[in-house]
Amino acid sequence: MSRMATFNSPLLLGFDHFERILDRVAKSSADGYPPYNIEQIGENHLRITLAVAGFTMDELSITIEENQLMIRGQNNDDESERVYLHRGIAARQFQRAFVLAEGIEVVGANMDNGLLHVDLERHEPEIEVRTIPIGSTKTIDAQ
């Protein structure tokens, strides 16, 4: 089954990279664990909050790979000795990816009451205007 490319227009040159990013986002959003919020906490500030109850700071990692913010959790508890009558708190490992737009920078992260907060800042890009000189090609007509 072939799918139609989102950026298939001849007017959109060089956007195949964005199409690959959109594919990655679609694949990573299929799993809903752990739940998260994204909120705007200032004019140029964002915060991603993940519910990571049961994980310690040592069991979590935050990395930036290319333009993706990767948040991983691996619970190291040895639960072979525990007997659960009901288990409603998930303790499985996870990997959550967020694609960062150009100009978005991770400025910090902290944990509070089982919530992992990752703070982001958007830097306004400088607008660059370039003038492209137009040259001429002289052709010599055969006489």
Side-chain angles (χ1 to χ4, degrees), residues 35 37 48-53 60 110-118:
N37 293 334
I48 300 171
T49 302
L50 283 89
V52 292
L60 298 169
N110 63 65
M111 282 227 353
D112 182 34
N113 295 324
L115 298 175
L116 175 65
H117 303 287
V118 181

Side-chain angles (χ1 to χ4, degrees), residues 77-124:
D77 283 348
D78 183 22
E79 299 187 7
S80 60
E81 298 176 10
R82 295 184 183 181
V83 177
Y84 290 98
L85 299 179
H86 171 76
R87 185 163 185 182
I89 300 173
R92 64 180 193 239
Q93 67 182 15
F94 69 88
Q95 175 176 305
R96 178 66 81 175
F98 298 92
V99 178
L100 300 177
E102 213 169 301
I104 298 284
E105 180 183 332
V106 177
V107 293
N110 63 65
M111 282 227 353
D112 182 34
N113 295 324
L115 298 175
L116 175 65
H117 303 287
V118 181
D119 293 328
L120 310 168
E121 185 175 356
R122 178 184 309 138
H123 297 284
E124 294 295 325

Side-chain angles (χ1 to χ4, degrees), residues 59-78:
E59 297 170 331
L60 298 169
S61 71
I62 303 171
T63 58
I64 298 175
E65 302 169 11
E66 294 183 16
N67 61 335
Q68 280 193 333
L69 171 66
M70 300 293 291
I71 302 172
R72 294 180 178 96
Q74 183 155 359
N75 201 324
N76 298 326
D77 283 348
D78 183 22

